Amino acid sequence: MDSVLDLTKENIQQVVDASMQQLVILTFWSQQSPDSMALGQSLEQLAQSGRFILAKVNCDAEIEIAQYFQIQSLPTTLLLTEGKPIDGFAGPLPVDQIEAMLAKHLPAQWQLDLNQAKTLLAQDDAVNALPLLKAAYQEQPHAEVALVYADALLMLGQVAQAKVLLDGIGLADQDSYYQSLKAKLSLALDAADTPEIRKLQESVDASPGDLALLLSLCKALHGAKRDEEALEKLFAVLSNDINAQDGQIKLLFMEILTAMGQGNVTANQFRRKLYSLLY
């Protein structure tokens, strides 16, 4: 349903049904009332956020609807939830006062982001869900968001970040969803622990000064999406010699950061660490 619409007898049931899931604002106006037309424009601008549906009632044409809601003066604005008016005001109001009133009834932005992300994950679209979950987690870093965030990360193979989130879930929030994600994490970690990586790790442990071997190990770790481990090993070398192995260590470090993307929390942490060495 559009975020702004004209309410008529033909679509009123659709709007009432929509109020079962989302806040609906009814604004009653008339061309004979300049205040009501100005208020309608302000509400239209606020409705562009997508946080509520604005249903405009032209009282010159929809007299029966105005009578049903017992409208006595214009403009009149009602807030509708589950088919029932829960709040409202008569006359014009400044935008800041309207926003303050709406804030009491609208879900927080993080809840909207979380709900949209859940819908996307149900469609196997973790790529578009991830930015929404990052924003929601930054605003509200609790288990309800963290679990869905970890789910998206696991779908995208970002195992290290998912593990950090799941390790931070408290005992009270370790429900069946958490247990299923832990099982996914365990399978992902097992899949990432390849014989090649184990063999390379043994070789590096035996020859810790062999940076060519370290490069091979870190490339393998990156290929298995174990980027945080690779970056830690590379940064340990860079901390002592920024140009180690003729600059190949730094080059691989940067390539992994680039592959992880600008929005990756772990990548950003290691970028800051590198900048501290360079500057």
Side-chain angles (χ1 to χ4, degrees), residues 106-255:
L106 287 171
Q109 186 59 49
W110 70 267
Q111 291 176 307
L112 295 174
D113 289 341
L114 178 61
N115 291 337
Q116 186 179 351
K118 287 180 177 179
T119 299
L120 290 169
L121 288 182
Q123 300 167 356
D124 293 325
D125 187 0
V127 172
N128 288 313
L130 196 61
L132 294 169
L133 290 166
K134 287 179 181 177
Y137 189 71
Q138 286 176 350
E139 185 177 344
Q140 196 65 249
H142 56 46
E144 181 183 3
V145 182
L147 289 171
V148 185
Y149 190 6
D151 199 353
L153 289 168
L154 287 170
M155 290 175 68
L156 293 171
Q158 298 183 27
V159 179
Q161 281 185 270
K163 184 177 186 302
V164 171
L165 287 171
L166 292 175
D167 286 347
I169 300 297
L171 186 62
D173 296 305
Q174 294 180 13
D175 55 12
S176 58
Y177 186 27
Y178 167 84
Q179 298 299 336
S180 70
L181 293 177
K182 286 289 286 186
K184 288 182 183 179
L185 175 64
S186 179
L187 290 172
L189 290 172
D190 288 344
D193 189 22
T194 65
E196 176 195 9
I197 290 175
R198 288 197 295 271
K199 184 175 180 180
L200 283 168
Q201 183 64 64
E202 290 172 359
S203 298
V204 169
D205 291 342
S207 304
D210 191 331
L211 296 184
L213 273 175
L214 179 67
L215 281 170
S216 296
L217 172 60
C218 291
K219 288 177 181 177
L221 289 170
H222 173 57
K225 299 186 182 299
R226 294 165 62 178
D227 291 320
E228 187 171 0
E229 292 178 63
L231 290 171
E232 287 175 349
K233 294 177 184 299
L234 293 169
F235 186 77
V237 176
L238 293 174
S239 297
N240 295 317
D241 183 359
I242 196 68
N243 295 309
Q245 196 69 5
D246 296 326
Q248 292 301 304
I249 298 291
K250 182 172 67 176
L251 179 61
L252 179 58
F253 189 90
M254 294 299 297
E255 287 177 346

Side-chain angles (χ1 to χ4, degrees), residues 12 16 19 28 33 40 49 57 65 81 106 116 135 142 157 201 230 257:
I12 189 170
V16 171
S19 75
F28 296 83
S33 169
S49 67
V57 184
I65 296 177
T81 294
L106 287 171
Q116 186 179 351
H142 56 46
Q201 183 64 64
L257 291 180

Side-chain angles (χ1 to χ4, degrees), residues 65-80:
I65 296 177
Q67 291 176 339
Y68 175 80
F69 284 99
Q70 300 180 352
I71 302 304
Q72 302 296 321
S73 63
L74 298 176
T76 293
T77 303
L78 300 176
L79 277 61
L80 205 66

